[in-house]
Amino acid sequence: MKDIAILLYYFAFVAQIGATILAFAAFRFVGKYRIGWIILAIGLLLMAGRRITPLISIQETGSYNFLDAILAALISLLLVIGIFVISKIVKDWQEKSKRLEKLLTFDFLTQVFSKAEVLRKGEIELQRSKRSGHSLAVLELDIDHFKLINDAHGHQAGDDVLKGLSQHCLKILREIDLFGRIGGEEFIAILPETTINQAIEVAERLRKDIEACSYKTRCNQSLKITVSIGITIYSPSDETHRNLSNSEILEKLINNADEAMYKAKAAGRNQIATH
C-alpha cells in the first residue's frame, strides 16, 4: 500500500505540473483575462508543493495517509481536465468573438466595410475634420440598372459584379479613405481632407474606370456596368451643423449624397452630381 500511495502522490505531482503548464500555455490567447489567468497558473504551481510534501514525509518518517494520496491524485487529475476544458472553451469563445467582430466590421459578400462600421469610422473622421478644420467629402455610388443584371444573368453573377466593383474602388481610393457597402448595390466613400473639386475629380475617375472595366463572373461572363455618383461636402465652418452630433451630421451628409446620386440618375445615369 505504501508503494501505491507513493505512486499516487507522484501522479498527483505530475498532474499538478501538467495543469500548471496548460494554464501558462493558454496565456497567449485569453486576451483581456490574462491577469486572472496568470494568477490561476501561479496558484496551480504553488499547489504543486503540496504534492511534494507527503513524499518527503514518507521518506523521512515512513508514515503515509492512503486516503490523502487518493484524494491528491483525484484532485490533480480533475484540475488537469478542468483547465484543459476551460482553456478550450475560452479559445473557442475567442475565435467565435473574432469571427463575429469580422462579420460586424466587414460586409459578408464584398469584404469592404459594413454599413455599421463605415458609419462608426465616419463619425471618427468627422471629429478629426472638426479639429483640423479640413473639409470632408461623402460619395454615394449606385450601380445603374443592377436589377437587369440579376434578372438576365442570375444573382450569382450580380454578386460577382458587386465583389469586383468593391475591389476596383478600393484600388482607386486612398488608404485613408473609407469605403463600405450600405445596402444592395449602394456603396459609400468617405474622403477625409478633401475639397469639393478634389471629390469631383475622384468621383469622375471612379465613374470612368468602372465604365471601362469588365467584371468577370464565375460563369466566365464579362459584364460591363456603369454607376451614378452623388457628392456632398462637410465643412467644419458650416454653421448649419453647429448644434448637431457627429451621427446626425453624418446622417445628413449621407442623405445629401443620396439626393445628389438620384439627381445623377434622373439626368441619365453614368454621371456624377453634387449637393
Side-chain angles (χ1 to χ4, degrees):
M1 296 290 286
K2 179 179 177 181
D3 291 339
I4 295 175
I6 292 172
L7 286 174
L8 287 172
Y9 279 127
Y10 270 119
F11 173 82
F13 174 73
V14 172
Q16 192 73 42
I17 294 299
T20 304
I21 292 172
L22 284 174
F24 276 111
F27 181 75
R28 68 184 186 278
F29 59 77
V30 292
K32 62 183 180 181
Y33 304 107
R34 284 180 175 176
I35 293 178
W37 205 262
I38 197 71
I39 291 172
L40 173 63
I42 292 171
L44 289 169
L45 181 61
L46 293 175
M47 284 177 65
R50 176 65 181 83
R51 307 302 179 228
I52 298 175
T53 304
L55 290 170
I56 296 174
S57 177
I58 292 172
Q59 186 177 17
E60 291 179 349
T61 65
S63 62
Y64 65 92
N65 186 325
F66 191 70
L67 179 60
D68 182 68
I70 293 174
L71 290 175
L74 284 174
I75 291 170
S76 295
L77 177 61
L78 290 174
L79 282 173
V80 171
I81 295 171
I83 295 298
F84 175 79
V85 172
I86 294 172
S87 297
K88 192 174 186 309
I89 291 172
V90 172
K91 189 174 183 179
D92 289 345
W93 179 83
Q94 291 279 36
E95 290 174 354
K96 289 177 181 178
S97 181
K98 288 178 182 178
R99 286 199 295 269
L100 178 60
E101 183 179 355
K102 185 178 180 181
L103 286 173
L104 294 174
T105 302
F106 297 100
D107 176 65
F108 74 99
L109 176 64
T110 61
Q111 292 305 299
V112 297
F113 285 133
S114 65
K115 181 178 181 179
E117 185 67 9
V118 78
L119 292 180
R120 185 186 72 82
K121 289 182 176 292
E123 290 185 30
I124 296 173
E125 288 302 331
L126 268 175
Q127 188 60 39
R128 188 176 288 119
S129 178
K130 288 179 180 179
R131 290 198 304 266
S132 67
H134 294 135
S135 59
L136 172 148
V138 176
L139 278 60
E140 185 171 330
L141 294 77
D142 186 271
I143 301 175
D144 297 326
H145 301 299
F146 184 70
K147 185 176 183 300
L148 296 180
I149 295 174
N150 285 331
D151 291 344
H153 304 282
H155 288 280
Q156 289 185 339
D159 289 348
D160 292 336
V161 168
L162 290 172
K163 289 188 282 189
L165 171 67
S166 299
Q167 297 308 309
H168 193 170
C169 290
L170 288 177
K171 290 178 182 177
I172 295 172
L173 296 171
R174 302 169 300 179
E175 287 188 9
I176 64 170
D177 297 330
L178 304 176
F179 186 72
R181 185 185 180 198
I182 58 174
E185 66 274 21
E186 293 183 6
F187 297 84
I188 188 173
I190 298 176
L191 316 181
E193 301 182 11
T194 303
T195 64
I196 183 63
N197 291 332
Q198 291 169 332
I200 290 172
E201 182 181 337
V202 172
E204 188 60 20
R205 186 163 71 250
L206 282 168
R207 186 195 66 79
K208 288 181 178 178
D209 283 4
I210 291 168
E211 181 184 20
C213 185
S214 293
Y215 296 93
K216 296 228 178 252
T217 70
R218 67 196 75 184
C219 298
N220 291 322
Q221 298 168 306
S222 291
L223 302 179
K224 296 185 74 67
I225 61 171
T226 61
V227 294
S228 298
I229 305 176
I231 307 166
T232 194
I233 291 289
Y234 167 73
S235 174
S237 61
D238 188 347
E239 293 295 326
T240 61
H241 298 135
R242 180 174 294 277
N243 297 321
L244 299 178
S245 66
N246 287 338
S247 61
E248 290 172 330
I249 294 172
L250 189 57
E251 182 181 0
K252 184 178 179 181
L253 291 172
I254 292 173
N255 288 337
N256 290 345
D258 189 63
E259 289 178 12
M261 183 268 294
Y262 277 107
K263 185 164 65 173
K265 283 190 177 293
R269 293 183 171 82
N270 189 24
Q271 54 188 283
I272 65 174
T274 61
H275 186 282

